[in-house]
Amino acid sequence: MSDSILIIDFGSQVTQLIARRLREAGVYTEILPCTTDVEKISAAAPNGIILSGGPNSVALADTPRAPQIVFDLGVPVLGICYGQQTMCAQLGGRVEPGTSREFGRAALNIAAPCSLFEGFWQVGGQHTVWMSHGDHVAKLPDGFTVVATSAGAPFAAVADESRHYYGVQFHPEVVHTQNGADLLARFALGICGCTGSWSMASYRSRAIGAIRQQVGDAKVICGLSGGVDSSVAAVLIHEAIGAQLTCVFVDHGLLRAGEAEEVVRLFGDHYNIPLIHKDASDLFLGRLQGVSDPEEKRKIIGASFIEVFDDEASKIKDVQFLAQGTLYPDVIESISAAGGSAVTIKSHHNVGGLPDDMALDLVEPLRELFKDEVRELGRELGLPESLVGRHPFPGPGLAIRIPGDITVEKLDILRAADAVYLDEIRKAGLYDDIWQAFAVLLPVKSVGVMGDARSYEYVCALRAVTSSDGMTADSYAFSHAFLSRAATRIVNEVRGVNRVVYDVTSKPPGTIEWE
């Protein structure tokens, strides 16, 4: 795609944030692992290239390096952390293991003017940035000058203005770096000459055309979960091909209160999309009986979903395509895992996989988008805000919000407590301020006194986090009055719970999903 930035990924857990910041500036951005072949990088024809951070050491001989074509294309290059180090090493400089490491916030001192800082950082200024490095550049390649320093990095930012090569030891993509988003936007728009014309309206039009070209007059089947991703994918595909699309909604009995009914009402009645509603809750709950391990739950749910979906799909004649709500982070994770450039933190939530005998081609119209971009596309398509703005909900549903074994009784208790919690959040006008909020039914019981009698019932934990990107998060700072009100309602209205606690754990940079 023309007018784009290409990111070469060396395995940083926050590489996706670089792309997010550039997308926010209206610049289409693609991430490729550092093992990508030269032809694919050349074919991308980017306006500029960014080299990401990574967990390895450039001081070691067998660690990844940037493909030489990065420096042969004649486009601007920005190296971040590991990317800065390998760029300097490959161009004739030297990287050494650091005698003092820098992790966390650091003071950046602007030592010289630089095009990369134009408009927001001036010489002599000091700014807060986020560092995460042990090694550092010890000798610069010819043509480079130092433009910023920090206590632990004498070459915290370097530049070769004649070739438009820049390197920063800090991470401008994380929110902790002051003006970090401005720096990335300046590189893409000011130095690389991107126009900033990436928008959901243009994406919608292009995606509809691509779906029609791919599908033709064939039939498509889509697994509809009721979540944002599959819902937006279904409506987008329906707009492109109409009645050629059939959606299959497999109800595994692990949804929140009222969600199954909402899916049927919205897609079957409002959008008139052909919809098959399969209630398979007895099958799922039977297979989950006595299972405590969360990863085993995921595998059982994933495999059972595919089995039920495949059975329903086989009843529809002449289907040639399977639609999925695959997002760009899913694509990146799969590519990185295959290329070995990223560190795996946890197994992916889509653990079932497709059966070998499901001979269908994939339609994945969201595979270039991040989660918040999918929401924006949903609004562009006219989906109701109650769906588009819904908090993320994992595929395994309430199964992983009930530590230990799952029973119908526990599911009923959790649904009721979760519904009260979210109702209080909405009444307080806080729902849109929170990235994700949910209740967890803990595998412990507490002795309490309710009225004139002792009770021995479950403890319910409440969790809420704020995030701008879903990659990093902090616990939401509810007032004591709110927590007291929510806890009182849950204890009074939900039989089976006599104690409520609030989890204030934050989500560190780099983790993929908050559950």
Side-chain angles (χ1 to χ4, degrees):
M1 177 181 291
S2 60
D3 196 29
S4 64
I5 297 295
L6 180 64
I7 299 173
I8 302 298
D9 181 23
F10 289 96
S12 169
Q13 299 297 339
V14 291
T15 297
Q16 293 182 34
L17 293 184
I18 306 173
R20 282 300 308 115
R21 300 295 172 254
L22 292 171
R23 296 274 186 94
E24 289 165 1
V27 179
Y28 178 77
T29 309
E30 185 176 359
I31 301 173
L32 294 177
C34 58
T35 53
T36 301
D37 60 72
V38 170
E39 290 75 16
K40 189 168 185 178
I41 294 174
S42 179
N47 292 49
I49 294 175
I50 294 178
L51 307 178
S52 83
N56 296 292
S57 171
V58 174
L60 301 177
D62 59 349
T63 49
R65 297 292 184 268
Q68 182 57 39
I69 192 173
V70 166
F71 307 109
D72 294 340
L73 285 176
V75 300
V77 180
L78 169 62
I80 296 174
C81 196
Y82 185 93
Q84 181 214 41
Q85 295 170 8
T86 194
M87 176 172 67
C88 288
Q90 290 179 240
L91 295 177
R94 188 176 73 254
V95 175
E96 295 178 348
T99 54
S100 61
R101 302 180 300 172
E102 272 186 314
F103 293 97
R105 289 180 174 84
L108 183 76
N109 301 297
I110 309 303
C114 178
S115 298
L116 197 62
F117 305 154
E118 190 174 307
F120 51 91
W121 284 347
Q122 305 299 322
V123 176
Q126 187 176 86
H127 308 278
T128 299
V129 297
W130 187 265
M131 291 284 189
S132 180
H133 69 98
D135 300 345
H136 65 260
V137 176
K139 177 181 178 296
L140 288 177
D142 292 342
F144 280 81
T145 59
V146 178
V147 295
T149 64
S150 72
F155 302 128
V158 299
D160 180 341
E161 295 280 13
S162 64
R163 290 184 287 182
H164 302 297
Y165 289 169
Y166 305 89
V168 295
Q169 184 60 71
F170 56 90
H171 287 272
E173 66 270 29
V174 302
V175 295
H176 310 76
T177 292
Q178 185 180 354
N179 296 115
D182 295 328
L183 186 151
L184 292 170
R186 170 63 186 159
F187 175 73
L189 301 173
I191 295 172
C192 299
C194 294
T195 61
S197 59
W198 166 260
S199 70
M200 277 305 107
S202 62
Y203 183 88
R204 173 186 180 180
S205 176
R206 183 165 61 88
I208 288 174
I211 293 167
R212 288 172 177 166
Q213 182 177 9
Q214 179 186 8
V215 172
D217 58 1
K219 291 184 179 180
V220 180
I221 190 169
C222 175
L224 190 64
S225 69
V228 177
D229 305 338
S230 65
S231 298
V232 172
V235 173
L236 179 64
I237 294 170
H238 186 254
E239 183 169 305
I241 62 173
Q244 292 169 239
L245 171 69
T246 298
C247 290
V248 177
F249 171 44
V250 178
D251 185 353
H252 52 28
L254 303 166
L255 296 173
R256 284 172 157 165
E259 287 189 340
E261 294 80 4
E262 183 179 357
V263 170
V264 174
R265 182 173 60 253
L266 180 62
F267 291 91
D269 300 339
H270 180 72
Y271 282 104
N272 293 317
I273 297 176
L275 176 67
I276 297 172
H277 177 202
K278 177 64 176 179
D279 184 352
S281 54
D282 289 343
L283 172 69
F284 281 83
L285 296 181
R287 292 181 177 179
L288 289 169
Q289 187 173 1
V291 178
S292 298
D293 180 76
E295 288 302 305
E296 186 63 23
K297 290 177 182 178
R298 288 172 178 272
K299 292 175 182 177
I300 291 171
I301 293 167
S304 299
F305 178 89
I306 294 298
E307 178 185 325
V308 175
F309 179 84
D310 190 28
D311 182 61
E312 294 300 321
S314 67
K315 301 174 184 177
I316 305 173
K317 294 182 179 180
D318 303 323
V319 173
Q320 297 181 33
F321 291 92
L322 170 67
Q324 291 189 160
T326 306
L327 303 191
Y328 197 41
D330 302 327
V331 176
I332 296 167
E333 187 177 353
S334 298
I335 293 174
S336 296
S341 62
V343 177
T344 300
I345 294 178
K346 53 169 266 189
S347 66
H348 194 271
H349 57 275
N350 294 325
V351 296
L354 296 178
D356 294 335
D357 59 353
M358 186 180 281
L360 300 176
D361 293 324
L362 290 178
V363 178
E364 299 174 305
L366 310 181
R367 63 182 285 117
E368 296 179 6
L369 303 182
F370 289 91
K371 186 75 173 188
D372 53 332
E373 292 174 323
V374 174
R375 297 186 192 281
E376 188 179 346
L377 177 59
R379 296 184 180 99
E380 175 73 23
L381 290 165
L383 279 161
E385 188 62 32
S386 60
L387 175 62
V388 174
R390 180 179 294 170
H391 293 173
F393 190 67
L398 300 180
I400 55 172
R401 294 179 179 172
I402 300 177
D405 65 312
I406 299 169
T407 66
V408 173
E409 177 197 19
K410 289 181 181 179
L411 285 168
D412 290 342
I413 292 171
L414 181 56
R415 279 196 189 93
D418 190 72
V420 170
Y421 179 38
L422 294 181
D423 182 56
E424 283 297 323
I425 288 175
R426 290 189 175 95
K427 284 180 176 177
L430 302 176
Y431 190 85
D432 292 338
D433 296 334
I434 297 170
W435 171 264
Q436 192 176 35
F438 55 87
V440 176
L441 193 66
L442 299 182
V444 293
K445 288 188 174 182
S446 171
V447 176
V449 176
M450 301 181 70
D452 295 322
R454 283 186 174 274
S455 67
Y456 184 58
E457 296 178 323
Y458 287 104
V459 177
C460 179
L462 306 181
R463 177 176 286 174
V465 295
T466 59
S467 177
S468 60
D469 46 48
M471 290 289 292
T472 60
D474 289 317
S475 56
Y476 186 81
F478 285 120
S479 68
H480 178 76
F482 172 87
L483 291 175
S484 177
R485 187 166 59 248
T488 299
R489 275 197 62 191
I490 291 172
V491 170
N492 286 342
E493 298 177 23
V494 180
R495 186 174 297 276
V497 175
N498 69 0
R499 192 175 302 275
V500 176
V501 297
Y502 182 58
D503 180 1
V504 295
T505 307
S506 293
K507 176 184 175 186
T511 51
I512 306 225
E513 184 178 9
W514 183 275
E515 295 172 352

